[in-house]
Amino acid sequence: MNIVTVCGMGMGTSLILKMNIDDILKKNKIDAEVEACDLGSMLGKMADLVVTTYELKSQIEDKGYNTVYVKNVIDKKGIEEKVLEAINNLKK
């Protein structure tokens, strides 16, 4: 499974999301590759799941990716709930 975390510049929010998702995946024994990138680079990525903030929703929602939008990038519990739900839906 490939997960891409996205922010405007690919250096702040996406890296925080990547680190949190890496921890969540390890905790739940889920094997996946997580990559942080900027919005422009995301369009060339093959991703099973994209994780980003609601601020980028209007720029991502019509691109055809399975996307999780989060409000707070440091709320690991909130991120975990959304990401695990999305991963479980992908497995169906």
Side-chain angles (χ1 to χ4, degrees), residues 6-83:
V6 181
C7 69
M9 299 297 288
M11 298 167 70
T13 301
S14 63
L15 288 175
I16 294 168
L17 283 169
K18 179 193 180 325
M19 290 186 300
N20 284 332
I21 292 170
D22 282 336
D23 290 345
I24 291 164
L25 295 173
K26 184 177 179 180
K27 173 184 165 188
N28 290 279
K29 297 179 176 61
I30 297 171
D31 186 33
E33 294 293 322
V34 184
E35 178 182 357
C37 74
D38 65 277
L39 183 60
S41 299
M42 179 205 76
L43 299 177
K45 305 281 183 195
M46 296 296 292
D48 298 303
L49 183 63
V50 171
V51 183
T52 189
T53 61
Y54 279 101
E55 287 80 13
L56 295 180
K57 185 173 182 177
S58 65
Q59 298 174 51
I60 295 177
E61 64 186 342
D62 64 343
K63 304 296 187 240
Y65 290 99
N66 291 313
T67 308
V68 170
Y69 299 98
V70 300
K71 292 181 183 178
N72 183 345
V73 298
I74 57 174
D75 175 15
K76 196 181 284 190
K77 182 175 167 67
I79 295 168
E80 182 172 10
E81 290 173 3
K82 289 184 173 207
V83 168

